[in-house]
Amino acid sequence: MRRSLAVLFAVLACAAGAAAQQDWIRTGTGLGVERVRLAAADFKATTPEAPTPDLLKAFNETLFYDLENAGIFDMVSKSFYPLQVPGTPQEMNLGAWSNPPPNASMVAFGNLGGAAGQVSVQGWLYDVKNAQSPQVLGKQYREAATADNARLIAHRFANEIIFRLGGGIQGIAESRIFFISDRSGHKEVWEMDYDGANQKQVTHLGSISLSPRISPDGSRVAFSSFAKGGVDILVWSLELNRLVTFPRFGGTNASPAWSPDGSKLALSSSRTGDPEIYVADAETGANMKRLTNYRGTDISPCFNPKSGAQIAFVSGRTGLPQIYLMDADGANLQRMTDGGYAVSPAWSPNGQFLLFAWFRRYGPGEPGAQDIYIMDVASKQWVQLTSATGRNDSPSWSPDGRHIVFQSNRSGSDQIWTMLADGTQVRQLTTQGRNTMPNWSFK
């Protein structure tokens, strides 16, 4: 029977003390405070000829998506907008935006022009209910005139707004998601923007790659691969666009995970016969240290990203896979789940919560599905985030702690999806081939 949670907690590091009598988890910094009612007016063109219309379309669509997807705003429907949209502060009519029907508190607006191979953007954020001093933000951007750069500028402007109005938490609009896709005929590592745009293949090994994990500085991806005969840990440099040297340990080596400072890799290795959890230097693979020593498969380690002092992992030592915690030196073992089939642990950025995939009622004849759950580590209380939507697995947190990426076959095949950390606002990011094991970049 599902537990009744009596905690309401923010998924953000700074939202402590938010306990309330609700059976749910909420995101955002405004617990107990009304969401900011935000309007994002389409930016106006300063030059009518090409390429401005195409750049403007890419910019406006990206900006609105980023702000709507942030999970912290009450976005004003564009159908409520005034007929006259401002492109400069001189064109802003505060009353037209602050009064019904838009009844906005904040308005983002500006202009965009494309000329001489450059796209230039001026953007403002106004507190339209503050007639004395309405300007909250004013920014200018200039890049080469491409649609990708128009999207990039929109991401940066959205991040500025989210940072100013979202409690000083950096936005995720420039973050990336790494995943496994078989669309090229082999299981390779791919990457994409956080919103699913710019999907591109990273590795070209012609084999089977699994469990990609981006390093904290975003320069390398560690993953397990069949490319060299066995199952080994490989490291791909995104700066050099090739594999970099990492030793073969013997046995089956899988599920690498970076320490918060990027100096260590935790992994599962059967080099001595039974799959156990080890840590090694991330740069050289040296100084390998064994952390577990039990019969049964130990796999899927992940460091607490806040402290680096704990490691969550999966173990089959008592039968079906369960989630465990231990200190980073292997001490103080704790079992976190109490039955079923639990896999794929992932820490929240603030180090207080775990995501994982769980078959609660597992076995022949038992009903139920594999769903994503979130657990408060200190109390071991948990909430189910997905339900009645097929097989869901491999959750990973966004760097702001407000979003979750995961794989699901709810659309008929394994694809990558995102949702807010309260289980709402579910969106599909991939459609081609089968796409699994997403991992969100640290920033």
Side-chain angles (χ1 to χ4, degrees), residues 307-386:
S307 66
Q310 289 179 300
I311 292 175
F313 65 103
V314 174
S315 180
R317 65 190 61 187
T318 60
L320 293 175
Q322 300 296 316
I323 307 297
Y324 288 80
L325 289 188
M326 61 182 170
D327 291 348
D329 61 1
N332 295 323
L333 184 74
Q334 302 178 58
R335 179 172 168 173
M336 304 304 289
T337 50
D338 57 3
Y341 187 102
V343 294
S344 306
W347 287 93
S348 61
N350 64 10
Q352 296 180 20
F353 311 111
L354 281 175
L355 291 172
F356 52 94
W358 205 3
F359 252 120
R360 290 243 344 120
R361 291 177 291 179
Y362 183 85
E366 288 285 355
Q370 182 167 294
D371 283 300
I372 305 299
Y373 290 75
I374 184 172
M375 175 181 283
D376 174 29
V377 172
S379 66
K380 295 185 181 180
Q381 294 176 307
W382 49 262
V383 171
Q384 183 175 348
L385 297 182
T386 63

Side-chain angles (χ1 to χ4, degrees), residues 86-364:
T88 65
Q90 293 73 28
E91 297 173 350
M92 168 56 75
N93 182 338
L94 297 179
W97 290 91
S98 62
N99 294 317
N103 196 28
S105 297
M106 297 281 175
V107 177
F109 65 98
N111 58 73
L112 179 150
Q118 297 281 305
V119 55
S120 58
V121 174
Q122 291 181 301
W124 291 272
L125 176 67
Y126 264 35
D127 178 352
V128 292
K129 294 186 182 297
N130 182 357
Q132 299 301 314
S133 182
Q135 182 169 323
V136 176
L137 182 66
K139 301 292 291 185
Q140 295 186 48
Y141 306 89
R142 183 181 293 273
E143 295 285 349
T146 67
D148 283 346
N149 282 338
R151 283 176 39 81
L152 177 63
I153 293 172
H155 284 328
R156 289 175 177 169
F157 188 52
N159 277 347
E160 290 280 358
I161 294 171
I162 292 166
F163 181 77
R164 295 296 182 97
L165 303 182
I169 304 297
Q170 295 290 343
I172 59 169
E174 293 187 73
S175 63
R176 295 177 295 166
I177 294 170
F178 290 78
F179 59 103
I180 298 297
S181 180
D182 68 356
R183 70 186 75 175
S184 66
H186 300 280
K187 289 190 173 183
E188 304 280 2
V189 178
W190 284 63
E191 68 170 311
M192 60 184 167
D193 295 350
Y194 94 103
D195 57 1
N198 294 321
Q199 297 183 22
K200 58 184 180 183
Q201 189 170 343
V202 175
T203 63
H204 297 78
L205 301 175
S207 182
I208 298 174
S209 299
L210 301 168
S211 306
R213 293 292 181 270
I214 182 70
S215 62
D217 65 0
S219 68
R220 293 164 289 170
V221 180
F223 56 101
S224 51
S225 171
F226 290 75
K228 296 188 176 182
V231 182
D232 297 299
I233 303 299
L234 302 182
V235 178
W236 186 274
S237 169
L238 297 170
E239 296 170 339
L240 302 175
N241 194 31
R242 64 170 172 79
L243 289 173
V244 294
T245 302
F246 197 78
R248 302 180 69 178
F249 299 121
T252 297
N253 303 280
S255 57
W258 299 87
S259 62
D261 63 1
S263 67
K264 300 288 185 183
L265 273 181
L267 56 104
S268 172
S269 178
S270 65
R271 59 188 303 188
T272 61
D274 196 42
E276 305 285 357
I277 303 299
Y278 293 79
V279 292
D281 292 347
E283 193 71 30
T284 64
N287 299 316
M288 200 166 185
K289 180 181 178 183
R290 182 172 176 170
L291 300 184
T292 61
N293 189 11
Y294 295 89
R295 285 193 60 82
T297 299
D298 293 336
I299 198 167
S300 302
C302 56
F303 281 95
N304 183 322
K306 184 69 174 180
S307 66
Q310 289 179 300
I311 292 175
F313 65 103
V314 174
S315 180
R317 65 190 61 187
T318 60
L320 293 175
Q322 300 296 316
I323 307 297
Y324 288 80
L325 289 188
M326 61 182 170
D327 291 348
D329 61 1
N332 295 323
L333 184 74
Q334 302 178 58
R335 179 172 168 173
M336 304 304 289
T337 50
D338 57 3
Y341 187 102
V343 294
S344 306
W347 287 93
S348 61
N350 64 10
Q352 296 180 20
F353 311 111
L354 281 175
L355 291 172
F356 52 94
W358 205 3
F359 252 120
R360 290 243 344 120
R361 291 177 291 179
Y362 183 85

Side-chain angles (χ1 to χ4, degrees), residues 53-96:
D54 290 340
L55 299 176
L56 197 61
K57 182 175 185 296
F59 177 90
N60 283 329
E61 289 179 352
T62 303
L63 179 64
F64 195 88
Y65 180 94
D66 286 350
L67 296 174
E68 183 181 48
N69 195 52
I72 57 174
F73 301 124
D74 176 14
M75 296 299 293
V76 178
S77 170
K78 289 192 175 184
S79 63
F80 293 158
Y81 286 8
L83 293 177
Q84 300 301 320
V85 176
T88 65
Q90 293 73 28
E91 297 173 350
M92 168 56 75
N93 182 338
L94 297 179

Side-chain angles (χ1 to χ4, degrees), residues 389-408:
T389 52
R391 187 180 65 249
N392 305 278
D393 200 355
S394 302
S396 177
W397 292 87
S398 64
D400 68 353
R402 292 176 175 136
H403 302 78
I404 294 165
V405 64
F406 63 103
Q407 74 177 67
S408 177

